[in-house]
Each structure stands twice: as structure tokens, then as C-alpha cells.
Amino acid sequence: SPALRSLRFHIASLRQRVMAIQVRLGVWVVAVMIFCGGWWQGAECSRSARKSGAPSFLDEYTKAKKGIDEEEQSLQARLHAEINTDFAHLGGDFDSLRKHHSKKTVQHSSHKVNELVKQRQKEALHVKIQQHKSNVRQLAHRRLVAQATKRAKQAEHAKSVAASSDISQSPVGVGDSFDIRTVHRFDPGQSLSFARELFETFALSYADTSLMTGYVGRDIVQLGHYYAMTRFGCALDCNDAHFNGVDGILGLGLPDAALPSIPNPLIFALATDRGGLEGANYINERPLHQRKFAFLSTGSSAELQLGGYDRASTNADMVYVPTTSTTEYSVNVQSLTFGGIELLNWKDKARPNAIPAILDTGTTCLVIPDSDLGGRVHDRPYSKFSSIMTKGMSFYITIDGHLFEIPFQFWWQSVNHAPCVQKTPPSYEGILLGDVVFQSLVVEFDLTKPHKPIIGVAPRNPLYVPVLPGSGDALKIPLIKRSAQGVFVEEPRKSKYRHGVDHIPVQLNGGRTEYLVNVSVGSPRQTFTVLVDTGSSTLAIFARQPPKHGNLRVPSQERGPRRSRGR
């Protein structure tokens, strides 16, 4: 080090000075000897001179000897002074070297202390996040229990309690398991148009082990301004407490994922070109002219648009991408970044890389994988996000080459003070795009070609206000008229009408975990609040047992041939 080099230099200089002083002393000794020799000769001469009367040199020698002694003492004093000065410099260098070493030791110790503090802070943050997640689950559970209790008090009257005996189910506590008394059930005995499919039952299961069972019925079902005769599930039992207070489920999925006993999703049954088992045209119907629907969500409500999408609800034109499956609304995602950092950091960038992403209204958060995707990426996306998670940042997702933003206010839950980002189960190496995405984007599902569905995506217009629950939609469809001059289309005269797109209000439950919409069944109509789910394809409504007499029953052997047109 520089301090050691300085110390060595001072020691070498000191040695040189000592040698120079020794040489000078030697010279003085030789001079004294020469002088003494001369003095001896001078003494002899003086004795002879005294004898002869000449002057003496003794006084001169004494003076010379005294001068030599004084010079020697002066040299010794200077030598001691220089030695003391050098030792003082060496001591200062040693002190500075010791202080430098101590400073390095302190810095090293301080670095270790900082690392320990950061580790403790990270552990405390992890514990806090786990507590937040637990609080969120408890809050959602309490809200579900409160909602179910409220619905139970409204539905618990003498008639429903008496009628509930026709279902073999033991009473359970609200919130612990499903209670049929908390829902409003379809009564087929009160519908003049109901017909039961003899010997037809259904069992509808979901990925979370939920199971709904019952029988298959046929009646007029209305969604928004459109209605048609179609098959649907009449549910008698369920094992999932999340259906407490919910009258059923409306599946808007694809026909390839439908049950064999209920092959047509409602969106296909309402379309003009229905195909399948609902191919016959009924007089009492109002068909949907375009097999399309769109979905969007805001902070307080949501909206289902039938027959296309409303351009006023988007900030830009819709871009369309193909789906990667005929059983689910899945698209290709090539990139997912957070705060400018790539979460899908592919190892092999020389070839195209993508993972599937399912658009699902039954999912609340943004769900991303927590694995290396079979060695295709450098880091696990969810773990990487957890390590760099910062408030105020946005997600950017690339869907088939189109970049879209998921702003901070949509993926951050301000009520729970936690991110609405979760990791996918180990069995699925893809992404689930739930309510977080539907708040950011307007998504259109084009089912004109069921085996080649198309997904449209556009940024949501923040100034657009969805139709409020309980309010009617001013729908006016253009009329096609024939005359002697030919066929022409008469457009609606009032500009307030929304041409051909039906806007259906969608409600949100307290925890933003469910979308709820109203459907009507039967003649006269019976209205029910059902769950909207693009991840399933079946309409199922909780119902009572069918009457033994008084309704038209359609035997299985009398069904017409299944048509493939439009499928």
C-alpha cells in the first residue's frame, strides 16, 4: 500500500544519513590524528624552541580541539533531530494506515449490516403480503355470506320452504355450502311453453371441482332484446357455496366445449343461423342478426353488447386476432412487460415464441405462470414480477403483434392494498386474462365461424358510461323492406338509437369476483340473475321439479336430425 512504501523510503533515507555522518566522523578522526602527529612534532620543536626561546603551539591545539568537540556535538544533535523527525513521520504514516484499515473494516461491517436489514425487510414484506391475501379472502368470504344471507331472507317465505321438500337436500348453514333456498328458482309448471326432454339429464363441472346437476328442459329464453326457443339446464343441486344468491350461470363459450345434452350455447340459439338442434324457426322469437358479442367493465359496472360492439366505447379501432382453440377464447401472447422489464424473457429469440392467454370473465385478476415454461424463459414470470413490483407502473401485453396497456389503477386493488396479480396452477402454462383486462380493453367475440372464431381487442374509452342496471336500452334495428322497386333498408330515424347493438347492463358483486346479468325464461317470463362466464358454454338455471302433467313433453326419438349448418 502507499503507506508501506512511504515507510520503507523513510527507513532507507535514515540509513543513508547515518552512513554520511559516519564518513564525516571518520574524516574528522583522520584530521585529528594528523593534527596530533603535527602537534607531537610541534611539541618537540617547542621544547627545543623553549630551550632556544621560540613561541609554544599548545594554546592553538587546545582551541582546535575545543572547536572539533563542539562540531561533533552539533552533528550529533542534528542527527538526533532528524531521527526524531523521521520517526514522527513514520508514526503518522502508521496512524493513517491503521485508520484506513479500520475504515475498510467498518465499511465491510456496514455492508453486512445493510444486507441483513434488507433481508429482514424482505421477509417482513413477504409476511405482510401473505396477511393481505388472507384478509382479501376473508373479506370476499364475508361479503358472499352477507349477500347470501340477504337473499335468503328475501326468498325464505312459506311457499319456497314448503316447495323445497321436493329436492333431497339436507339444510346447511349459509356460506358453508350451497343452499337452494338462497336462489330464485325457475318454475316450469308456470310456463305454458316449457317442454322437458325425457330422460335427459346433465352434470356441469368446472376446474375448481364445482358440480351442478339436474335435468334438461326447453323453453323460450330471452337475453336483452333477443329471445328464442332453446335447450337449457334445469339445475336441482350444486356443491359450490359461491352460487348462494345466484340463480344460475350463463355460458357464452364455444359449442365444441358444450355438453352433448345441451349442444348449443345461448348466443348460438339466439342467432338467425343457429344450426344444431335449435335449427327450426319458431314464430315466437326475435333472432340476433350477427353472431357477435362484446364485453367491457369499469370500476363500478360492466356491459354486455350483443350483435357487435359500440364504437363509442373504444378509444381506437378494433384489431382482430385469431383464436388458438375451438373450445376456449385463447389468443397468442408474445410479450408481457412490467415497468419496461420483460417478464417473458425467451431464451431462444431466433424463433417466434408465444404462450396462450384465455379471455375469461370468470377470472378476476391477471394470472401469469410461475415456471420457466419448460426451460423456454430465463426467469419465472410471476416470481420476477413479485421481486420488481412497484406502484404506479403499467403492464404492457403483446397479443399477436398488437401492444396494449393495462394501467396501474386496474391491476392494483386500492381497497385491499394489494396487486390483483396471481400465479397460474402448475398444470397450466399460460395466462388468464380476467376482470383486470376487461377494465382496460373492450373485447369482441366474433362467432360467425364457430370453428374459426375471431377476437377483437381495442382500448376502452374511459369517458364511455355503460348502461346502468335497471335501465332500458334504446335499441333500434334497421328494417329490411321489399317493394316493387326492389329490396331496401330503412334506417332508424332517431339518432339516439344504437344501430343493431343491444346494450345489456351487467352487475358486479361486492368483491368484483362475479359478473351478473338478467335472463328471462318461459311464458309468461320469469326473470333470473345469472353468472356471466365465457369459460363455459351452458345455460343452467336453478329450477323446481317439472310437473307431471300439463306441459308438452318432447320424446327423445321424435327429435329432428341435427343440422351442421353454421357449426
Side-chain angles (χ1 to χ4, degrees):
S1 65
L4 289 177
R5 287 195 296 270
S6 176
L7 181 61
R8 291 173 181 173
F9 174 79
H10 284 299
I11 292 174
S13 175
L14 183 60
R15 289 177 178 174
Q16 292 177 0
R17 293 177 182 177
V18 171
M19 291 176 64
I21 291 171
Q22 289 177 352
V23 170
R24 293 171 68 180
L25 288 176
V27 171
W28 279 105
V29 169
V30 171
V32 169
M33 291 177 66
I34 294 173
F35 182 78
C36 290
W39 173 77
W40 179 261
Q41 292 178 0
E44 290 294 332
C45 293
S46 63
R47 281 195 298 267
S48 59
R50 276 195 298 268
K51 290 179 181 180
S52 60
S56 176
F57 294 96
L58 180 60
D59 296 336
E60 294 181 5
Y61 167 75
T62 303
K63 291 180 181 180
K65 181 67 170 59
K66 185 179 180 180
I68 292 172
D69 292 338
E70 291 177 355
E71 184 68 23
E72 184 178 359
Q73 291 177 0
S74 176
L75 289 175
Q76 288 180 357
R78 288 173 58 191
L79 177 61
H80 284 297
E82 292 178 359
I83 291 174
N84 292 333
T85 302
D86 292 336
F87 272 111
H89 285 300
L90 292 177
D93 294 337
F94 178 75
D95 291 339
S96 63
L97 180 62
R98 183 175 58 186
K99 290 180 180 179
H100 181 69
H101 179 71
S102 301
K103 185 176 180 181
K104 283 191 173 181
T105 306
V106 170
Q107 289 179 351
H108 184 66
S109 302
S110 177
H111 182 66
K112 287 188 175 180
V113 170
N114 290 335
E115 289 184 350
L116 182 60
V117 169
K118 288 182 180 179
Q119 182 67 23
R120 295 286 176 82
Q121 290 177 348
K122 189 175 181 181
E123 293 175 356
L125 181 61
H126 178 72
V127 172
K128 190 173 182 180
I129 291 174
Q130 295 300 325
Q131 290 177 352
H132 277 307
K133 290 182 178 180
S134 177
N135 293 336
V136 170
R137 288 192 293 267
Q138 293 177 4
L139 180 61
H141 178 72
R142 287 197 298 269
R143 287 180 176 175
L144 288 174
V145 171
Q147 183 182 9
T149 305
K150 183 178 179 181
R151 293 295 299 270
K153 289 180 180 179
Q154 295 175 353
E156 207 171 42
H157 48 81
K159 184 177 178 180
S160 64
V161 172
S164 63
S165 60
D166 60 349
I167 298 179
S168 58
Q169 180 178 350
S170 58
V172 293
V174 177
D176 297 331
S177 60
F178 176 71
D179 188 354
I180 195 70
R181 294 171 296 181
T182 65
V183 303
H184 175 45
R185 289 182 289 167
F186 171 63
D187 190 353
Q190 300 296 321
S191 176
L192 300 177
S193 54
F194 175 78
R196 179 182 177 181
E197 301 289 328
L198 290 181
F199 313 113
E200 286 283 2
T201 60
F202 78 96
L204 187 60
S205 60
Y206 298 92
D208 60 354
T209 69
S210 301
L211 179 64
M212 185 182 294
T213 58
Y215 61 92
V216 179
R218 180 185 297 194
D219 209 332
I220 298 174
V221 179
Q222 180 173 356
L223 177 63
H225 289 81
Y226 303 106
Y227 49 88
M229 180 72 74
T230 184
R231 290 186 183 186
F232 64 96
C234 298
L236 298 176
D237 195 10
C238 180
N239 68 345
D240 190 357
H242 289 93
F243 280 97
N244 284 332
V246 180
D247 301 333
I249 185 169
L250 171 59
L252 296 176
L254 295 167
D256 284 357
L259 296 175
S261 57
I262 311 174
N264 273 1
L266 181 61
I267 192 69
F268 283 80
L270 293 176
T272 304
D273 180 15
R274 290 190 289 273
L277 296 177
E278 264 54 69
N281 289 324
Y282 293 90
I283 297 176
N284 192 11
E285 68 174 12
R286 186 178 186 179
L288 181 66
H289 292 277
Q290 293 191 81
R291 194 185 298 150
K292 301 177 181 179
F293 70 93
F295 196 86
L296 62 93
S297 175
T298 66
S300 58
S301 62
E303 185 176 89
L304 176 65
Q305 301 174 358
L306 295 181
Y309 79 99
D310 190 348
R311 180 63 179 81
S313 63
T314 64
N315 256 349
D317 292 333
M318 193 77 70
V319 296
Y320 293 92
V321 298
T323 60
T324 60
S325 172
T326 59
T327 59
E328 57 194 12
Y329 298 119
S330 176
V331 293
N332 276 326
V333 170
Q334 293 88 11
S335 172
L336 179 65
T337 63
F338 176 76
I341 299 176
E342 180 63 62
L343 301 181
L344 296 176
N345 189 9
W346 305 105
K347 290 184 178 180
D348 186 4
K349 294 182 174 60
R351 64 174 186 176
N353 293 284
I355 59 174
I358 300 176
L359 294 156
D360 183 17
T361 58
T363 301
T364 303
C365 298
L366 175 64
V367 186
I368 59 180
D370 193 27
S371 66
D372 60 355
L373 302 179
R376 298 169 61 193
V377 295
H378 290 283
D379 305 304
R380 295 182 297 174
Y382 179 79
S383 298
K384 190 171 184 178
F385 164 75
S386 299
S387 63
I388 63 175
M389 195 274 292
T390 307
K391 291 183 180 181
M393 297 294 182
S394 297
F395 282 95
Y396 287 90
I397 185 170
T398 302
I399 302 176
D400 264 329
H402 302 281
L403 183 66
F404 301 98
E405 180 185 8
I406 304 176
F408 165 74
Q409 63 268 26
F410 298 143
W411 65 264
W412 179 261
Q413 296 175 327
S414 57
V415 177
N416 305 320
H417 301 286
C420 193
V421 181
Q422 300 174 349
K423 57 183 177 182
T424 58
S427 59
Y428 177 63
E429 291 186 346
I431 300 175
L432 295 178
L433 305 176
D435 177 60
V436 168
V437 174
F438 290 112
Q439 290 187 72
S440 309
L441 309 172
V442 178
V443 182
E444 183 185 25
F445 302 84
D446 187 351
L447 307 179
T448 306
K449 298 180 180 180
H451 292 290
K452 292 183 179 180
I454 299 175
I455 303 296
V457 185
R460 181 177 67 85
N461 180 7
L463 301 179
Y464 177 78
V465 179
V467 176
L468 297 177
S471 62
D473 181 32
L475 172 70
K476 194 73 172 181
I477 300 177
L479 296 178
I480 301 176
K481 292 187 175 182
R482 298 176 183 270
S483 65
Q485 289 78 19
V487 179
F488 65 95
V489 177
E490 180 181 349
E491 294 290 342
R493 296 180 180 179
K494 295 183 178 180
S495 60
K496 69 176 183 179
Y497 295 133
R498 299 172 178 178
H499 301 267
V501 177
D502 191 4
H503 300 68
I504 303 174
V506 178
Q507 305 176 38
L508 297 172
N509 68 341
R512 292 194 65 93
T513 58
E514 295 174 349
Y515 294 117
L516 303 172
V517 70
N518 289 337
V519 297
S520 300
V521 182
S523 302
R525 297 170 182 170
Q526 302 177 42
T527 304
F528 306 94
T529 301
V530 297
L531 186 71
V532 180
D533 184 20
T534 57
S536 60
S537 305
T538 302
L539 169 63
I541 298 174
F542 291 105
R544 302 184 186 279
Q545 291 285 0
K548 296 181 179 179
H549 304 284
N551 289 89
L552 175 65
R553 296 175 180 240
V554 182
S556 300
Q557 61 269 19
E558 293 181 6
R559 298 185 194 130
R562 179 174 178 174
R563 302 184 183 183
S564 59
R565 186 166 59 92
R567 293 292 305 277

